[in-house]
Structures are given as structure tokens and as C-alpha cells.
Amino acid sequence: MPHLLSLPNELISTIANELDTRKKFRGTCRRINTVVSPRLFSSIIIDIDGGLIDAGISQLEALATKSTCAAEYVRTVYIYCLAPHDYDLHTRLIPTFVGGRLIKKPVKKLNHPKIDWVQGKIRELLPEALSMLKGATTVIWAMYSTNPDWASALISASLETLPALGALHLTEAPGHPELWPAHLNRIPNLTKLTVRGGPDGAVAEIIANSPHLTRLNLLVPGHRHGVGDHAGTLHSFLGKIPQGRPLHLEHLAITGYCVRFDDKTLPHLRYLRSLELKYIPYIPDDERQYYTEDLLSKSDRFGSSSEHLWGAVRREGIPIEMVIAPADDAVIDYLALATCIKKIGLLEADTDILAEKFFTQVVPRHSKTLVSLSVETEFEGPWCFGKRNVDIFLECTQLFELSIAVNTSSTNEEEDDSTDNPVVSHFLATSCNTSIHPPRVKL
């Protein structure tokens, strides 16, 4: 009978991922340690708050003093809270299960000397600990409002020393712009940037100093999606890039900011393959009387209607392969004329006439290239999966992911499981028999 060590490394790694005792399993022998460690230590969370204080300080000490081998395997770093609250003044309750019941129990209070000691240790150990993560390729940093002022500068300086860092995710601390890193603009190999909030000037500096950037995500935090709710625009974010040195962006996702494609922004979009536009604010003509002159000027100069945006993409011949956007006339018209679309994600799909055009013109046009399709609709109707479009989906020979609501009108409405729908069952059985890649369906 073959024993564990006779298995290939891939199977040993798969077995380890299913175990609750991966750390103990890792210690059974040298080979298993070599196989399991890269996955086990692939990510690290730096979060020093409340009950995590002792573990957090120990973690920083182990990294800073090189007393752990985990540092060499870390590829993703999560940075959250970097200072404990003053629990003598602000007692926090945490949910805890006791005897099967959920109760709220106060965390251990800290006195002022303890807080000062913890912050001192963080300030001493954090730079050295982060500098040990030479193989880290991704940093996800959420700025907490409780963090001390010096934390941002300390982290920024440390991140600039990581040679493999290529992806950076930044989330602002709402209401605390002073916590945003002032000089986080010297990461030479940055290719992916995701920013949720933050001063547009500081974000523009990061973009301008990242000439290798290919993926850019700009997201307004919360629900601030109006023209006057946030200062940033696509123009302001790209405005500091030196002339004659355009970015070669392949992916652009924007949520909640004003967007206009013109001679200032289009040079950076010539190589775009993926475009995601959500909640793009714009003041239409029939609502202009409700806005101030300043907001109207901002909308006219830096905003665009959906028709203008998708019309510009089509006129400029930008080779988009992935589209995520609200299902309006402009995006459906664009998709009906585009070629080689591989992924479509439609939001707020609620217009019946557009559904007819989408399933009779768009989907058949891309049936040989479409790999992923997602449709979000609030109501049952022609946007849902059913008898009227099942044969259209069966023509999509490359479809691997399908997320769509199911019409119940053609089946027993008392059944809760969508897979009991005979139309769904027919689609699943037929697609699995005819497709090289049977679709991963979410109905």
C-alpha cells in the first residue's frame, strides 16, 4: 500500500489544506514541512488591537529578530490596526459564545502605561518586521482612525524597501485624511493599484510615480456617489502623469467618480482589456436646474453620460474583452457591435426591451468567446434564465461561469431548489455533455 510520502507534492499540499491541524502536520517530517510551509505562511495579518495585542507584538518580534522561517514564504500582507485603544476610556464589547449562548463580554482593559509600551514596541519593531518580507507581492492596507500619526509614515517607508511588491490596496480612514501616507510614491515595481477613498492629489502622486501600472481600481468609499460628494475625477487621478509617458493600463475599474474619455485620459487606455464602470455620477439635461454652477461645471468638464463613454471606447477601437457596467442602452449597443468579448457583468438589469436585444444579439455574437456572464436583476422576467434563452446559452461553447436569476414561471413554484427546474436540469446536462469546460453555474 502506498504511504503518504509516496504521493506527489501537489496531493500532499491538497491534503494539508483540508486539515485543521496544518501546523502540526507540517512538523511531521522535513519533506512535508517543505511542501506545506509555502501555503501555510503565504499571508500574514498585522492587527494589534484589544485581545490581539500580545500575539501581535510576538509576531513582530519573531519577524524582526528572524526567529521564524515564515517571512520567506509570505506573499500577501494585511495591515489593519496598529495601536490599541485606550480601554479605560472606551470599553469595547466583543461577541462571545458561552454555553451555546451569544453574549457580549468586555475586552481586557489597558492602563495608560501599557498603551504607551505597546505603541513603543510597534514603533520599534514594525519597520524591521516589514523589511523581512522580501517576497511579499501584495499589501492590503486599511487605515484605522485609531492609528497614531506616525504609523502611516513608518509603513510607507517600509513598503518602499520591498523589492517584489507589485500590488497595493489602500483604504482610507473615513474622516481622517491626516492618516493618509504623504509620500507613498516610491514603489518602483507597482503594477496593480486599488484605492478606496483618499486625497485625490496623493493618489495621483502614486499613479504618476508608477510607470509600470497596468491595473487600476478607483473606488469611492461607502455610498458617496454623487457629482458633489467627492472631489476626485479620472482627470485628477491621471493629471500628474508626465506628458509623453502614458500608462499602458489593461484594466480600469471606477466606482463613484466622474469619468470622461478625452485627449487627456484616452492615451492611458489604448491597451485596455477590462473596463468596469459603476455608479458613475453625471448630471443629465433634465436635472441641471437642481445643481449649482460649480457642480454643473464639474460634470460638464470631467463627467460623461454612458452614451459618451461607451461611444468613445468604440470610436477609439479600444480592444475591450471584459465589461462590467449597468445594463443601459449604451452598454448593450456597445456589446452588440463589439468583437471577442470574454466576460460580461451587467448590473441593474431591469429594462425588458434591452433584455430581448441582449439575448438575441449580444450573447449570440459572442457565443464562441464568452467565458463568464453575470446578470444582476431585481425582478423575475426576461433578464432571468428560462425557456426563452436556454438554447442561446447552450450555443456558448466556452462559457465557464454563469451567474443569473432563474425564472420560476415555467416550473413548480413550490420548489425552492433552482436545480429542480427542468429547464436548468436540461441546460446542465446538455452543457456538461457538449462543452470542453462545463460551466460553473450560480443560479
Side-chain angles (χ1 to χ4, degrees):
M1 179 180 293
H3 54 80
L4 181 64
L5 295 182
S6 68
L7 298 175
N9 290 346
E10 293 79 6
L11 284 180
I12 295 177
S13 179
T14 301
I15 292 171
N17 290 337
E18 299 298 322
L19 298 177
D20 295 330
T21 56
R22 286 189 291 271
K23 291 185 178 180
K24 291 183 178 179
F25 182 59
R26 166 180 164 261
T28 54
C29 75
R30 182 174 298 178
R31 182 184 169 201
I32 290 179
N33 173 65
T34 302
V35 172
V36 174
S37 291
R39 180 70 65 87
L40 184 62
F41 300 118
S42 63
S43 64
I44 187 172
I45 299 174
I46 299 176
D47 188 9
I48 303 176
D49 183 15
L52 304 173
I53 290 175
D54 293 336
I57 294 298
S58 297
Q59 177 192 62
L60 294 181
E61 287 181 334
L63 291 171
T65 60
K66 303 180 183 179
S67 60
T68 175
C69 66
E72 65 179 290
Y73 302 112
V74 172
R75 297 296 177 264
T76 303
V77 183
Y78 297 85
I79 304 175
Y80 297 133
C81 186
L82 294 172
H85 301 94
D86 184 347
Y87 285 105
D88 285 328
L89 300 176
H90 307 285
T91 301
R92 187 181 64 172
L93 299 178
I94 59 173
T96 305
F97 281 96
V98 177
R101 294 186 305 155
L102 181 65
I103 66 170
K104 288 188 175 180
K105 181 180 179 181
V107 298
K108 183 179 179 181
K109 293 184 177 182
L110 298 176
N111 54 34
H112 291 284
K114 177 71 171 180
I115 293 176
D116 293 340
W117 178 84
V118 171
Q119 292 193 359
K121 293 296 288 185
I122 295 172
R123 199 164 188 172
E124 171 193 346
L125 297 170
L126 185 61
E128 190 65 26
L130 288 175
S131 69
M132 292 295 105
L133 307 178
K134 300 297 186 184
T137 59
T138 302
V139 169
I140 300 172
W141 179 9
M143 302 168 200
Y144 275 48
S145 59
T146 54
N147 286 352
D149 295 342
W150 48 260
S152 292
L154 209 63
I155 297 171
S156 299
S158 300
L159 296 185
E160 292 171 0
T161 67
L162 303 182
L165 183 56
L168 184 61
H169 301 243
L170 300 172
T171 300
E172 72 168 8
H176 292 271
E178 72 279 3
L179 297 179
W180 189 268
H183 302 291
L184 188 58
N185 54 14
R186 292 185 293 273
I187 302 178
N189 300 316
L190 198 64
T191 60
K192 302 175 183 179
L193 177 64
T194 298
V195 179
R196 189 180 297 274
D200 55 317
V203 175
E205 287 284 352
I206 300 175
I207 295 173
N209 287 279
S210 304
H212 305 297
L213 204 62
T214 59
R215 299 182 64 85
L216 179 60
N217 301 283
L218 302 169
L219 315 172
V220 168
H223 297 85
R224 294 182 288 167
H225 297 146
V227 172
D229 291 334
H230 203 279
T233 66
L234 182 60
H235 279 70
S236 64
F237 290 123
L238 302 181
K240 295 187 178 182
I241 299 174
Q243 289 188 353
R245 294 168 52 189
L247 298 177
H248 288 182
L249 290 178
E250 298 175 3
H251 166 82
L252 176 64
I254 302 179
T255 299
Y257 291 108
C258 287
V259 178
R260 187 176 187 84
F261 295 153
D262 57 18
D263 58 347
K264 300 294 184 182
T265 56
L266 282 170
H268 309 287
L269 311 179
R270 300 297 181 192
Y271 299 89
L272 210 60
R273 296 290 183 271
S274 171
L275 180 58
E276 181 175 337
L277 301 175
K278 298 180 181 179
Y279 307 111
I280 303 302
Y282 177 70
I283 302 175
D285 291 341
D286 58 353
E287 296 181 10
R288 294 179 69 86
Q289 67 268 28
Y290 305 115
Y291 292 86
T292 65
E293 289 298 323
D294 288 343
L295 293 181
L296 290 172
S297 176
K298 176 182 176 182
S299 179
D300 292 341
R301 294 177 59 199
F302 306 119
S304 288
S305 64
S306 181
E307 289 79 9
H308 179 276
L309 291 174
W310 292 105
V313 172
R314 183 171 59 249
R315 288 192 303 272
E316 297 295 325
I318 299 174
I320 301 292
E321 297 176 349
M322 187 194 90
V323 171
I324 298 179
D328 58 25
D329 292 85
V331 74
I332 299 301
D333 288 343
Y334 170 79
L335 291 171
L337 296 174
T339 58
C340 299
I341 297 294
K342 295 181 179 180
K343 181 175 181 178
I344 299 174
L346 295 180
L347 315 172
E348 305 171 16
D350 54 15
T351 305
D352 292 356
I353 296 177
L354 290 180
E356 182 71 19
K357 184 174 184 178
F358 179 73
F359 287 116
T360 59
Q361 297 183 35
V362 175
V363 177
R365 182 176 181 84
H366 305 292
S367 61
K368 304 305 180 185
T369 59
L370 195 60
V371 175
S372 175
L373 173 62
S374 172
V375 178
E376 295 183 8
T377 183
E378 187 174 354
F379 304 103
E380 185 171 335
W383 280 106
C384 299
F385 183 95
K387 290 181 179 179
R388 64 191 301 165
N389 54 34
V390 62
D391 290 334
I392 297 173
F393 284 119
L394 287 173
E395 294 297 320
C396 298
T397 56
Q398 302 300 314
L399 191 62
F400 182 68
E401 292 182 317
L402 176 62
S403 178
I404 189 171
V406 177
N407 266 329
T408 60
S409 57
S410 60
T411 188
N412 185 354
E413 295 184 2
E414 296 179 357
E415 296 289 349
D416 293 329
D417 189 352
S418 62
T419 58
D420 290 334
N421 185 320
V423 179
V424 175
S425 300
H426 168 67
F427 169 71
L428 292 175
T430 306
S431 61
C432 288
N433 289 331
T434 60
S435 177
I436 298 176
H437 305 289
R440 183 168 57 200
V441 182
K442 181 181 179 182
L443 300 168

